[in-house]
Amino acid sequence: MTTTKSTALTDDDMDVMTLLHAAFRRDATRLAHVAQTYGTENDETHDALLVGWRGFSRELHHHHRIEDTHIWPLMRRKLADRPDDLAVLDDMEAEHSLIDPTLAALEEAFDDREHGPRQVPHRIDDLVALLQSHLAHEERDAFPLIKEVITAQEWQALSKAAVKELAYSDIAQLGPYVVEGATPEQARRVLSELPVPLRLVHRFWWNPRYRRVRRWE
Ligand SMILES: [Fe+2]
C-alpha cells in the first residue's frame, strides 16, 4: 500500500508569496512617489516609469488570478463547514475585484498624456490605499488559514500548476521580479523550484536583462 506523506506548510514554503507581497509594497511606495512628481518628468523617465508600472501591474494580476483560481478554491473545499473562515475568502475575492478596476483606471491615466497629470495622483492614492489594506488583511486573516489547511505537498502541486499556466515570457519576468528584494538564501530556495535549465536561463539571461532595463525612475 502506498501512503502519501503530508507535511505542514512552513514560512519557507510560502517564500514566493511573502516576497511578492514585499515587492507589491515596494512598488506601492514607488507609485506614491510618482503621485507627487507626475507630469514633471521627461519622456525617457516617463517610459521608465511605464516599464516599472506595467511590470508591477502584470505581476499583481497574475498573483490575484492564481489565488482566485488555485488557492481559494482548494481552501473553500476544506473550510466548507467553517462559515467565518469562508467569509475571509469572500473578502479576499471582493478586494481583488475592487483593485482590478483601479489598475485599469491608472493605466488609462498613464496613457493619456494630456489629462493624465491631473488624474494620476488621486488614482494612485486610490490604488495604494486599497492594495495596502488588502495585503495587510490577507496576511492577518488568510495566511494563517492557508498554513492551517493546505499541506506542503498541496502547495507545491498548486504552485507547479499555476506556473504551468504562465507563458514563457511571463516566467521570464516573474523570476527576476520575485528575487529583486530576496536574501541570497530566499532567492536560492525560490529558484530551486524551477527546472535546472530554466534556473540557468534565469541566472545568465532573464535576471541580467531585467536589471539592465531602466524602470520607475
Ligand atoms: Fe497574496
Side-chain angles (χ1 to χ4, degrees):
M1 193 181 80
T2 4
T3 49
T4 321
K5 219 174 89 206
S6 66
T7 42
L9 201 59
T10 66
D11 287 336
D12 286 358
D13 292 319
M14 288 181 70
D15 266 343
V16 173
M17 180 73 119
T18 41
L19 284 170
L20 271 174
H21 278 213
F24 297 145
R25 285 197 172 95
R26 186 173 62 232
D27 286 347
T29 304
R30 286 165 167 158
L31 275 172
H33 177 72
V34 169
Q36 286 166 9
T37 54
Y38 192 70
T40 60
E41 73 284 350
N42 60 28
D43 285 351
E44 287 81 40
T45 308
H46 191 261
D47 289 347
L49 192 166
L50 287 186
V51 172
W53 151 254
R54 294 207 168 116
F56 157 78
S57 162
R58 183 180 48 236
E59 298 310 337
L60 189 59
H61 268 301
H62 287 320
H63 179 64
H64 286 173
R65 193 180 49 76
I66 289 168
E67 288 180 336
D68 291 342
T69 59
H70 289 276
I71 302 178
W72 312 145
L74 173 62
M75 292 173 72
R76 280 187 188 283
R77 292 199 288 279
K78 297 186 173 233
L79 295 168
D81 56 351
R82 291 164 53 175
D84 289 354
D85 295 330
L86 287 173
V88 171
L89 305 183
D90 292 341
D91 287 349
M92 294 301 111
E93 285 174 2
E95 288 166 15
H96 287 176
S97 59
L98 286 178
I99 290 171
D100 288 348
T102 64
L103 289 170
L106 185 51
E107 172 72 36
E108 208 178 275
F110 276 136
D111 276 344
D112 183 346
R113 290 292 261 156
E114 197 192 332
H115 305 101
R118 266 203 324 279
Q119 298 161 337
V120 161
H122 65 87
R123 291 190 184 185
I124 287 180
D125 290 348
D126 292 348
L127 170 62
V128 168
L130 282 173
L131 182 63
Q132 301 279 27
S133 95
H134 168 63
L135 293 173
H137 187 188
E138 182 172 322
E139 287 161 9
R140 189 188 64 234
D141 292 344
F143 276 23
L145 283 176
I146 291 176
K147 279 164 62 182
E148 183 193 333
V149 300
I150 300 186
T151 67
Q153 289 72 21
E154 287 168 333
W155 189 255
Q156 234 169 34
L158 73 80
S159 304
K160 238 188 204 153
V163 169
K164 246 191 184 156
E165 286 170 7
L166 294 175
Y168 186 74
S169 58
D170 290 331
I171 304 175
Q173 299 287 330
L174 175 64
Y177 186 79
V178 168
V179 299
E180 192 184 333
T183 63
E185 177 53 24
Q186 282 172 321
R188 195 197 54 73
R189 269 202 306 268
V190 164
L191 294 171
S192 70
E193 288 177 28
L194 290 176
V196 175
L198 287 193
R199 239 180 276 171
L200 293 173
V201 177
H202 168 89
R203 182 165 165 198
F204 293 109
W205 182 22
W206 294 342
N207 206 36
R209 184 183 58 184
Y210 180 91
R211 285 167 182 268
R212 261 197 318 271
V213 172
R214 185 178 164 201
R215 60 192 79 233
W216 289 114
E217 324 204 40

